[in-house]
Amino acid sequence: MASIFRPSVSLDLLRPKVTCTHLSTYERFEFQKKSLRKERLNVRFNGFKANTAQGSIEGISVVQEKEINNKTDYGVVGVHHVGLLCENLERSLEFYQNILGLEINEARPHDKLPYRGAWLWVGSEMIHLMELPNPDPLTGRPEHGGRDRHACIAIRDVSSLKDILDKAGIKYTMSKSGRPAIFTRDPDANALEFTQV
């Protein structure tokens, strides 16, 4: 099941050939920084010719390149994790581990926080499940998770995930735009989108 969470083939060409699940937390962070920079350059400089020998991009100035690469003074590199509230950690882990196939990051401080929780790998990022009271209403949420707060996870094959959710009897909706994406909710009504890349 975990194979549905691997990056797309096009992104694999940009990344070193390593398996993220066998990296330390520091190595994952470094891997993520390098991957994000390459992906950002690929998207932002589409149409410009890279001069890798001189380390610059033809068609833009060094100042413009610096502005594109670092729009913030504090250096945003990506999303580290998404925090989700849950009422019962075991019930949530049943969903995230046994249905979605996510693995726990044992290096994170599960026992050092004043509440129960778990950190789950999603590629090189994480979901942090926190067993805390939820201030949001659990009923009356939109049926389609795309019309609610949600986290989006990139996967390789939406149809495989659809089969998994069908087999588990979990409700979902398909993307309203027609793109290959599926929306579902975890046991605590947290909306999740899975988009095919």
Side-chain angles (χ1 to χ4, degrees):
M1 280 188 288
S3 65
I4 62 174
F5 295 102
R6 289 189 197 131
S8 71
V9 174
S10 61
L11 295 180
D12 284 344
L13 298 173
L14 299 173
R15 294 183 176 156
K17 299 298 181 197
V18 295
T19 304
C20 266
T21 56
H22 302 295
L23 299 177
S24 70
T25 302
Y26 175 77
E27 289 169 328
R28 280 181 192 250
F29 180 73
E30 291 301 312
F31 174 81
Q32 177 187 17
K33 283 194 326 191
K34 289 176 186 170
S35 295
L36 284 170
R37 175 148 171 75
K38 287 179 183 176
E39 290 168 25
R40 214 176 284 132
L41 284 171
N42 190 38
V43 171
R44 289 185 179 163
F45 298 139
N46 190 17
F48 294 107
K49 184 178 177 185
N51 185 344
T52 54
Q54 295 178 358
S56 64
I57 308 295
E58 292 179 20
I60 64 171
S61 71
V62 173
V63 172
Q64 288 171 318
E65 183 178 352
K66 188 173 183 180
E67 287 173 1
I68 290 170
N69 287 331
N70 192 15
K71 289 186 176 188
T72 60
D73 289 338
Y74 52 90
V76 174
V77 295
V79 174
H80 182 267
H81 71 274
V82 173
L84 299 177
L85 300 179
C86 64
E87 182 181 16
N88 181 288
L89 184 60
E90 286 74 22
R91 182 181 67 180
S92 293
L93 287 174
E94 171 69 25
F95 175 78
Y96 284 96
Q97 286 186 289
N98 298 338
I99 294 173
L100 297 182
L102 301 183
E103 297 176 10
I104 289 181
N105 177 356
E106 297 295 347
R108 297 302 299 171
H110 303 286
D111 57 350
K112 294 185 178 165
L113 298 171
Y115 51 84
R116 291 173 18 119
W119 298 77
L120 300 158
W121 285 117
V122 181
S124 59
E125 292 79 28
M126 292 170 281
I127 288 176
H128 182 199
L129 295 175
M130 300 175 284
E131 191 179 82
L132 291 168
N134 191 341
D136 294 331
L138 300 179
T139 58
R141 314 285 310 173
E143 180 186 355
H144 181 61
R147 295 191 176 126
D148 199 358
R149 291 181 302 272
H150 63 277
C152 181
I153 298 170
I155 62 174
R156 286 186 183 256
D157 186 6
V158 165
S159 62
S160 292
L161 179 59
K162 186 176 178 223
D163 292 342
I164 291 167
L165 296 175
D166 283 338
K167 192 173 185 178
I170 295 172
K171 291 182 186 179
Y172 59 84
T173 56
M174 300 306 291
S175 172
K176 302 298 184 189
S177 69
R179 64 191 169 81
I182 192 167
F183 293 82
T184 191
R185 291 186 183 272
D186 73 4
D188 294 281
N190 293 307
L192 301 169
E193 174 183 358
F194 298 89
T195 188
Q196 186 170 307
V197 293

